[in-house]
Amino acid sequence: MAPSASATPQAAAAPKIPPTGWLPVDRAAWKAQVDAYNALKIDPVPAGVGNLPEFRADCQYSHRRPDDPIVFPGLPGASHMHSFVGNKAVDADTVAGDLMKFTATSCKPVQDHSAYWVPTLYDNGTGKPVETTGFRVYYRSLMKNPAGQMPMPNGLRMISGDAKKKQPTPRGARGQFYCAFYGPGDLDGIARSTNGNWPICGGDATLHYMMQFPDCWDGKHLDSPNHKDHVSYGSGRPARAATR
């Protein structure tokens, strides 16, 4: 049945733009999350494992968009190109609650509904994007004694790195490219220039990028105006702020 001549199209739903600036954590929701965490049964630590507790997610490339739902929420196309891994539904309008509704992911374990994105890498010769063949995310405590560590609050947002940085990253610096060959002996070799600033790939080595996110949270805010001031890098010593 055709619509009448007086019918008007229904207005499109407004995008779910997350609030910006200092975003306070919902204290009741945070308490419920902590209570559930503290109620979990602790499995005995198997023999021969690493010295610090951790879990990891192994992910593949999902999609590419000129979007950044943290820095430019609700503004599709406002960002430089990003390559997304993890949650497959992420775009400029995505908010934290969407990650639990649209749970398709490129990560294993599939229980990790998190979204991760990095600036797209381009081949300087062809101008074509070069997407990752693997993306590994580690969640681990940097404390020598992780007793009393807390989970990250649901909805925590943060960024790491500097999009305008043009200085080299010395060996061991946060946020560095390097080349490595992973063989039967796990890490068989890392190749960098003599001064340690630049990766040199050859043979079976592949290009890697390592980024470390802040591991301390202020316990009060899920986000801050620059998306960094509510978190910080820990010293490895106990502190008043909750850490992951």
Side-chain angles (χ1 to χ4, degrees):
M1 182 175 180
S4 64
S6 63
T8 56
Q10 186 177 3
K16 305 179 294 299
I17 301 176
T20 57
W22 289 102
L23 179 62
V25 66
D26 183 321
R27 306 306 303 182
W30 171 233
K31 182 179 184 304
Q33 184 182 349
V34 171
D35 289 345
Y37 172 77
N38 288 332
L40 291 173
K41 180 182 178 182
I42 301 177
D43 294 330
V45 179
V49 300
N51 63 328
L52 293 174
E54 70 175 35
F55 69 89
R56 75 187 192 199
D58 287 301
C59 310
Q60 300 295 325
Y61 166 76
S62 172
H63 59 284
R64 185 168 56 244
R65 290 180 182 273
D67 295 347
D68 191 324
I70 291 180
V71 178
F72 298 108
L75 296 174
S79 171
H80 56 250
M81 191 65 72
H82 280 106
S83 297
F84 290 80
V85 301
N87 196 291
K88 294 183 177 181
V90 177
D91 59 20
D93 298 326
T94 299
V95 296
D98 293 335
L99 303 182
M100 299 305 292
K101 298 175 183 177
F102 308 104
T103 59
T105 180
S106 65
C107 291
K108 293 181 180 180
V110 296
Q111 291 85 352
D112 184 0
H113 303 155
S114 299
Y116 311 97
W117 56 96
V118 295
T120 299
L121 178 68
Y122 287 88
D123 185 299
N124 191 47
T126 65
K128 295 181 179 180
V130 180
E131 298 300 352
T132 178
T133 57
F135 191 98
R136 177 167 290 178
V137 185
Y138 286 94
Y139 291 85
R140 69 181 303 176
S141 170
L142 298 181
M143 303 284 289
K144 294 181 179 179
N145 180 1
Q149 300 300 289
M150 304 298 288
M152 291 187 297
N154 292 331
L156 181 67
R157 305 196 297 248
M158 60 178 166
I159 62 175
S160 180
D162 182 354
K164 298 180 180 180
K165 184 175 182 179
K166 295 182 179 180
Q167 290 78 28
T169 53
R171 187 190 308 275
R174 297 192 191 106
Q176 62 169 314
F177 285 97
Y178 65 94
C179 289
F181 169 58
Y182 291 82
D186 195 13
L187 185 60
D188 285 357
I190 294 179
R192 289 177 70 83
S193 58
T194 302
N195 63 10
N197 288 338
W198 314 108
I200 300 175
C201 292
D204 294 325
T206 54
L207 182 65
H208 295 247
Y209 182 74
M210 180 180 294
M211 175 175 287
Q212 181 180 335
F213 278 84
D215 56 299
C216 292
W217 173 51
D218 69 2
K220 299 177 181 179
H221 304 94
L222 296 178
D223 202 357
S224 52
N226 65 358
H227 318 293
K228 294 182 177 182
D229 285 346
H230 61 305
V231 291
S232 64
Y233 291 95
S235 63
R237 298 187 300 270
R240 289 178 293 177
T243 61
R244 65 168 174 83

